[in-house]
Amino acid sequence: MPSHDVSAMPAPAAQDDPLQRERNHLAASRAALTAMRADAEALDITDVTGNWVNREVLAGELERRIAALADLADLPLFFGRLDYLHEIGAEAGAAPADAAGSRFYIGRRHVHDATGDPMVIDWRAPVSQPFYQASPKKPMDVRLRRRFGSAGGELTAYEDEYLTEADPDAPLASALLTAEIERPRIGPMRDIVATIQPEQDEIVRTDVHTDLCVQGAPGTGKTAVGLHRVAYLLYAHRERLARTGTLVVGPNRSFLRYIEQVLPALGELTVAQSTVDELVAHVPVRGTDRAATASVKGDARMAQVLRRAVRSGIRLPEESCVVVRGSRRWRIPGYELAEIVQELMDRDIRYNAARAALPQRIAHAVLVRMEQSGEAPDDRVQDAVARNPAVKAVVKAAWPQVDPVKTVFRLLSDREFLAECAEGLLTAEEQELLLWARPARSPRGAEWSAADAVLVDEARDLLDRTGSLGHVVLDEAQDLSPMQYRAVGRRCTTGSVTVLGDLAQGTTPWSTPSWAEALGHLGKGGARVEELTQGFRVPAEIIDYASRLLPAIAPELAPATSVRAAVGSLTVRQGSDLLAELVAESGSALKQDGSIGLIAADAMLAEIGAALAEAGIAALSPGEETSAEARLTLVPASLAKGLEYDYVVLAEPSAIVAAEPDERTGLRRLYVSLTRAVSGLTVLHARPLPALLA
């Protein structure tokens, strides 16, 4: 396809220069966006609301609207153009460019001029979809698709594809698309609106009611796809999701800091971000569990153990309840009270909802007797009876109040109580693993672990229903335990979910064996599973090398492929002085543009960091933003998941494997570390390589 880079060409007259005309349209679009923001800032909402509550809500909405209209100086407002064969109706939001058909500039947000005519169309609009989906075999009425190259927010080149004139069987090869994918990445993760591929676009535009699971090999863009799906859903269902809320759940704060700028760059500022640990932060986490203990605490059977623990105090009444009102005494026999309690137990509603219903049920039984005696009590009488001391005494004895923290504390510190609740569910050995080695006297002094906090969250939900959001994105999901899945699933019981992960990258002892099982724990057993196997970020030479590990770590998965054949992107070298080799290679990598990640086993970081410092090389920690002055990040292998760097220097693969409790987990950790590079990977080792890589 014809590509035009005029940076080195003499400047022709503006009317004869297509790129200059596009630059003029960009300048006009920027001016229009500035005017849109000024109009929003000038709005006076002082007298348009009836009360201060509505005024505060409207002011908040206006503030978010103004922020969303910010012009990002380092990015052009549009990255592509569509010329249709025929005119698109006015309802599509565009005016015809000429008699031949309509023209649309595709960008990150909608921009219109003073008369309301669109100058840039949001990439999420239906009319923009052919930019991602059209091909010579399926042109979708598109005559011309133009892609733009840019630098520093200015257009530098354009590339044209004449879809209706091209050979349908000829492969499409876009130099600008490749250049955008390979562009050096300094700073946090960028959006991919200019490079979304057809299979990714189909996932992004999946309906809001559909639960989706994306199994994606390294470099297939699953994280970006999940974030862009959120942006698309907020565009297509803004009113609904603004009311119910959206949430992105990541594996750790370093990962969330890396992705946090993607949605704001797309104009979406209201999406919350959290880790699972932050979602369930009901107790202060000060302790850690052994892998075997954490595995039992994360097992789905713990949900039933906790249910028994929460309901352990319920007792069927035996004594009668006598309610005195004036000169009359109303007696409800013990067997009838027991039937009421048993019915509430059998209905399996939340504990506190049943507890609130119990006095009303007893009061209703009293009112039936009143009516049988000729009285005509109303709702006020029933409420009064429900508050009667005799009724309250029955409720307190039969259905006592429960504190979720105290319940879990007792379960983990009281051997007899645990045995009672876990009978038939957990073995004696598993129960022994759950008991705290150093039990505290009270919950306040306990050394709660992250797995304990998940148990507390489950107990809280057994008492009162957890609030549900409209849509939740769960990234790096393969590392969650069944109980963690349940915790996330509670946040989207009435909404939808996008699950993102790669079974081959599971590195916890309780990592997901299959998506069907994981989705069942999440409460989304009917979710659609999509698989992304074509990589765009990781060069073929690197992904082929890493895929040598798949037979040992995930034999059921097909090896990923890559559209990028970057010959020479992989170097594997053995040396006797590993620290000197690492310092030298880091210095060489810094001579190139882009970010560098030096990944090593966690135990090696201090020694490597000291060597880098002695050589005068500054090293960042994961989550710290790279810049032109500081581009090298020292990454522990345990935190590498989800991160990307232009160049990766990987230290001592065998040490990464040996650091894990078993070889399979270690090889999975190594697989993750090997697939973080976008442009080049250098593997340095002094010890022998793992057998599959030798």
Side-chain angles (χ1 to χ4, degrees):
M1 64 190 69
S3 182
H4 309 272
D5 185 342
V6 299
S7 58
M9 300 180 186
Q15 64 270 23
D16 300 324
D17 182 2
L19 187 60
Q20 186 58 48
R21 289 198 297 269
E22 303 294 19
R23 288 169 172 166
N24 292 342
H25 186 78
L26 175 59
S29 300
R30 287 196 186 281
L33 181 63
T34 300
M36 290 170 62
R37 184 181 174 101
D39 289 344
E41 291 172 334
L43 287 175
D44 184 0
I45 61 172
T46 306
D47 299 320
V48 299
T49 56
N51 56 61
W52 71 270
V53 175
N54 290 340
R55 185 166 59 252
E56 289 297 315
V57 171
L58 184 58
E61 290 294 326
L62 182 58
E63 185 177 339
R64 284 188 287 273
R65 169 65 175 166
I66 292 170
L69 290 172
D71 187 2
L72 302 178
D74 59 335
L75 292 173
L77 286 176
F78 53 83
F79 48 80
R81 194 183 94 186
L82 290 177
D83 290 5
Y84 280 83
L85 285 169
H86 303 94
E87 181 181 334
I88 304 297
E91 67 277 3
D98 49 44
S102 297
R103 174 175 296 169
F104 301 87
Y105 286 86
I106 312 301
R108 288 170 173 79
R109 66 199 68 194
H110 175 88
V111 180
H112 60 254
D113 61 17
T115 63
D117 290 331
M119 302 186 71
V120 180
I121 300 295
D122 195 301
W123 66 276
R124 298 166 288 187
V127 77
S128 301
Q129 189 170 10
F131 185 80
Y132 304 107
Q133 293 286 344
S135 68
K137 286 187 176 180
K138 188 179 68 172
M140 302 174 73
D141 201 42
V142 173
R143 181 180 66 86
L144 168 70
R145 171 168 55 204
R146 174 170 287 181
R147 300 181 189 274
F148 295 105
S150 65
E154 294 298 328
L155 303 180
T156 59
Y158 68 93
E159 184 179 74
D160 289 341
E161 302 169 60
Y162 292 91
L163 299 180
T164 55
E165 302 171 13
D167 179 359
D169 297 318
L172 289 177
S174 169
L176 289 181
L177 191 67
T178 302
E180 174 61 23
I181 291 174
E182 295 178 348
R183 181 158 59 95
R185 33 196 27 81
I186 295 177
M189 182 180 179
R190 302 191 300 260
D191 66 66
I192 63 165
V193 288
T195 62
I196 293 174
Q197 301 300 296
E199 61 271 28
Q200 295 174 325
D201 185 66
E202 290 176 3
I203 294 173
V204 166
R205 296 177 191 265
T206 303
D207 184 74
V208 69
H209 301 291
T210 302
D211 296 310
L212 199 60
C213 175
V214 181
Q215 158 64 39
T220 54
K222 57 185 176 295
T223 295
V225 165
L227 295 175
H228 286 68
R229 188 184 181 207
V230 173
Y232 171 77
L233 293 178
L234 285 168
Y235 174 87
H237 306 277
R238 187 167 301 280
E239 183 176 345
R240 169 181 173 168
L241 293 181
R243 183 176 66 254
T244 56
T246 51
L247 172 68
V248 174
V249 181
N252 51 61
R253 266 291 141 193
S254 295
F255 176 85
L256 292 177
R257 283 193 292 270
Y258 176 62
I259 69 170
E260 65 184 357
Q261 295 304 316
V262 174
L263 290 168
L266 299 174
E268 302 301 342
L269 308 173
T270 60
V271 181
Q273 295 184 351
S274 176
T275 65
V276 174
D277 290 345
E278 290 167 348
L279 284 181
V280 301
H282 309 302
V283 291
V285 174
R286 294 191 290 262
T288 56
D289 289 318
R290 291 180 297 159
T293 299
S295 295
V296 177
K297 289 180 178 179
D299 194 288
R301 292 171 294 168
M302 288 301 300
Q304 183 62 20
V305 174
L306 285 165
R307 186 179 184 277
R308 291 179 182 177
V310 165
R311 291 173 166 251
S312 62
I314 298 176
R315 298 288 182 268
L316 296 179
E318 297 178 355
E319 302 294 328
S320 300
C321 174
V322 178
V323 176
V324 178
R325 282 188 59 81
S327 60
R328 303 292 300 271
R329 295 163 60 89
W330 308 98
R331 178 178 174 275
I332 307 298
Y335 75 86
E336 188 171 342
L337 293 173
E339 289 175 355
I340 294 173
V341 171
Q342 187 64 56
E343 181 198 357
L344 288 173
M345 291 176 64
D346 294 342
R347 286 188 60 193
D348 199 27
I349 58 179
R350 293 298 194 280
Y351 186 93
N352 284 339
R355 191 175 191 276
L358 179 56
Q360 293 292 334
R361 295 293 180 87
I362 298 173
H364 176 74
V366 172
L367 261 65
V368 169
R369 284 163 171 72
M370 289 182 176
E371 291 169 349
Q372 290 172 346
S373 68
E375 296 189 20
D378 56 18
D379 291 344
R380 290 175 297 177
V381 174
Q382 178 165 333
D383 289 339
V385 172
R387 296 192 299 269
N388 186 276
V391 174
K392 286 184 176 181
V394 171
V395 173
K396 183 177 181 180
W399 208 288
Q401 284 188 328
V402 171
D403 181 282
V405 175
K406 291 179 179 178
T407 300
V408 176
F409 175 79
R410 183 184 176 193
L411 194 67
L412 300 179
S413 56
D414 186 330
R415 190 181 303 274
E416 292 182 1
F417 182 58
L418 174 60
E420 175 188 335
C421 297
E423 184 180 0
L425 294 171
L426 302 178
T427 66
E429 292 77 11
E430 289 172 326
Q431 293 177 37
E432 198 63 33
L433 286 171
L434 290 179
L435 291 167
W436 279 327
R438 294 182 298 171
R441 293 185 177 182
S442 69
R444 186 182 297 274
E447 291 189 0
W448 298 98
S449 69
D452 297 335
V454 178
L455 299 182
V456 173
D457 191 72
E458 179 83 25
R460 285 169 59 94
D461 186 71
L462 289 166
L463 298 174
D464 298 291
R465 185 181 299 277
T466 304
S468 176
L469 298 161
H471 190 78
V472 173
V473 173
L474 175 59
D475 205 353
E476 300 296 348
Q478 71 279 345
D479 280 334
L480 268 60
S481 70
M483 293 299 288
Q484 288 176 315
Y485 276 118
R486 290 176 61 87
V488 176
R490 286 191 281 277
R491 272 76 183 177
C492 55
T493 51
T494 59
S496 55
V497 66
T498 300
V499 178
L500 310 168
D502 180 12
L503 297 178
Q505 296 186 56
T507 51
T508 56
W510 48 84
S511 58
T512 301
S514 73
W515 289 123
E517 183 177 322
L519 293 168
H521 295 313
L522 198 65
K524 302 290 184 179
R528 195 173 89 210
V529 179
E530 298 282 354
E531 187 170 2
L532 294 174
T533 59
Q534 190 173 52
F536 306 95
R537 302 290 181 193
V538 184
E541 195 171 354
I542 296 175
I543 197 66
D544 290 347
Y545 184 69
S547 294
R548 296 183 190 181
L549 301 176
L550 284 179
I553 62 175
E556 70 279 8
L557 296 180
T561 60
S562 177
V563 299
R564 298 172 53 222
V567 178
S569 57
L570 172 66
T571 301
V572 181
R573 190 166 67 245
Q574 185 171 13
S576 56
D577 190 342
L578 184 62
L579 284 179
E581 292 271 353
L582 289 172
V583 170
E585 188 62 36
S586 299
S588 297
L590 285 168
K591 295 176 182 177
Q592 307 176 74
D593 292 333
S595 58
I596 300 100
L598 200 169
I599 303 177
D602 296 31
M604 297 178 63
L605 289 187
E607 189 178 17
I608 295 173
L612 290 172
E614 186 176 346
I617 298 176
L620 304 171
S621 298
E624 291 186 294
E625 188 170 328
T626 55
S627 64
E629 293 74 29
R631 295 185 288 116
L632 187 145
T633 303
L634 189 54
V635 186
S638 61
L639 292 182
K641 194 171 298 179
L643 304 179
E644 283 183 346
Y645 301 94
D646 289 292
Y647 300 95
V648 167
V649 180
L650 181 65
E652 204 62 87
S654 61
I656 294 175
V657 176
E660 300 299 329
D662 60 82
E663 185 182 31
R664 189 185 190 198
T665 303
L667 290 173
R668 286 184 167 186
R669 184 77 72 189
L670 178 58
Y671 179 77
V672 171
S673 302
L674 287 169
T675 53
R676 301 304 96 199
V678 175
S679 297
L681 168 66
T682 299
V683 178
L684 299 176
H685 65 103
R687 308 179 204 170
L689 291 171
L692 290 170
L693 296 182

